Amino acid sequence: MKKLEGLLRQAIDGIGRVVFITGEPGIGKTSLSDEFLRRARKQHPGLLVSRGRCVEQYGTGEAYLPFLDAVGALLQGPGRERIAAVMRTYAPTWCMELPTAFVTSGSLEKLQQETIGATKERMMREMGDALGMLATSSPIVLLLEDLHWADPSSVDLLRHLCQRIGSQRLLIAGTFRPEDVERSNHPLKSYKAEMQSHNLCEEVALGSLSREHIAAYLDAYIFAQRFSAGADFAHPRKDRRSSAVCHKPAAIPWRTR
């Protein structure tokens, strides 16, 4: 959490970053991400925060799905009028992918004319320009979840943004399972290695809890229970830990997702 909060402070100061939150299924990537976004909103009220999720797709999936999800959420939140105006000016091809946010008299027809022959490169450039312009007014945090299922176009866009994010008030956090990326030879594998070699991204790797971490957790939990329930724990510390683990597992609120 400290690393994420430090990267956010840097992004607010104009030094943007891409950070990957990685770990096996159930290790706590979602819990950490949720708490990070909650604290970010609370500590920085003017922050633009949004999230997009990748889904497992078979065959040819929808291009840019997590980015469309995140931008669509921004267009439904606070400051939607300003965000829509920036998107309309700097990212017209993306507006065509989000028609419900731009349905006004004649607007879609005009967008169609403006975006005829739009290329993948143009879409990446437009999104970079739009996010950069939005970030001049309000720092932005984008959370992209389950990138091990990301479509190739989303990975290319992430790579493009990573190369220009260093001078923007933008933080992009992405979660993924390393074993899934490795096993499927996902495009994210080579992208992440390339970006790390150029010091263009960070990683928060979540590992399994050590015996010391579990012991500290149990001590804190039992201490809280002692004073909340008025229980008299007379057993030695070692016995209390083993009792909590072996005899009352349901009483301990493990929250790893």
Side-chain angles (χ1 to χ4, degrees):
M1 183 63 72
K2 289 183 179 180
K3 184 170 185 177
L4 292 174
E5 291 178 337
L7 291 172
L8 176 57
R9 287 192 294 270
Q10 291 180 22
I12 292 173
D13 291 337
I15 306 174
R17 205 71 170 164
V18 170
V19 56
F20 295 112
I21 302 170
T22 64
E24 63 188 37
I27 198 64
K29 299 185 294 298
T30 299
S31 296
L32 175 61
S33 301
D34 288 347
E35 178 63 16
F36 170 62
L37 294 188
R38 187 193 69 79
R39 293 189 187 187
R41 289 189 177 99
K42 181 179 180 180
Q43 296 171 5
H44 309 282
L47 204 64
L48 284 178
V49 179
S50 190
R51 66 199 304 165
R53 186 184 300 275
C54 303
V55 296
E56 189 172 11
Q57 304 181 76
Y58 301 94
T60 303
E62 183 175 7
Y64 306 112
L65 182 59
F67 288 97
L68 290 170
D69 197 12
V71 175
L74 286 175
L75 289 167
Q76 296 176 8
R80 61 180 67 87
E81 294 82 7
R82 179 178 68 88
I83 295 170
V86 170
M87 293 295 294
R88 180 65 184 81
T89 301
Y90 293 91
T93 58
W94 287 84
C95 298
M96 286 296 299
E97 301 296 325
L98 298 160
T100 56
F102 298 93
V103 177
T104 58
S105 179
S107 62
L108 289 180
E109 290 78 3
K110 187 175 181 181
L111 281 170
Q112 287 175 340
Q113 295 175 358
E114 294 177 2
T115 57
I116 292 176
T119 63
K120 177 180 178 179
E121 288 73 20
R122 174 178 171 177
M123 290 195 71
M124 292 194 296
R125 185 174 63 253
E126 283 186 359
M127 180 52 68
D129 292 343
L131 289 175
M133 180 54 61
L134 287 172
T136 60
S137 301
S138 303
I140 303 172
V141 176
L142 294 183
L143 172 63
L144 307 177
E145 299 182 272
D146 297 327
L147 286 174
H148 48 274
W149 289 328
D151 59 276
S153 295
S154 293
V155 176
D156 288 340
L157 176 55
L158 187 59
R159 181 176 182 271
H160 174 79
L161 295 175
C162 188
Q163 292 174 335
R164 58 189 294 180
I165 199 173
S167 59
Q168 298 176 339
R169 297 200 296 169
L170 171 63
L171 177 64
I172 299 177
T175 69
F176 70 86
R177 305 171 187 169
E179 66 275 16
D180 285 15
V181 169
E182 188 73 27
R183 182 172 58 249
S184 64
N185 200 28
H186 194 277
L188 186 61
K189 176 183 177 181
S190 58
Y191 152 71
K192 177 173 170 285
E194 176 189 348
M195 294 300 99
Q196 284 182 323
S197 68
H198 291 89
N199 195 31
L200 293 176
C201 68
E202 303 283 346
E203 182 174 5
V204 175
L206 304 182
S208 300
L209 293 177
S210 67
R211 293 175 62 89
E212 290 75 16
H213 289 142
I214 295 173
Y217 177 85
L218 292 176
D219 280 344
Y221 178 77
I222 293 171
F223 181 82
Q225 291 298 304
R226 178 180 180 180
F227 285 92
S228 64
D232 182 16
F233 289 88
H235 301 292
R237 175 182 296 181
K238 181 178 180 181
D239 293 339
R240 296 202 306 269
R241 291 175 184 165
S242 60
S243 175
V245 172
C246 299
H247 301 296
K248 295 185 179 180
I252 301 175
W254 294 102
R255 294 288 301 275
T256 56
R257 290 184 289 166

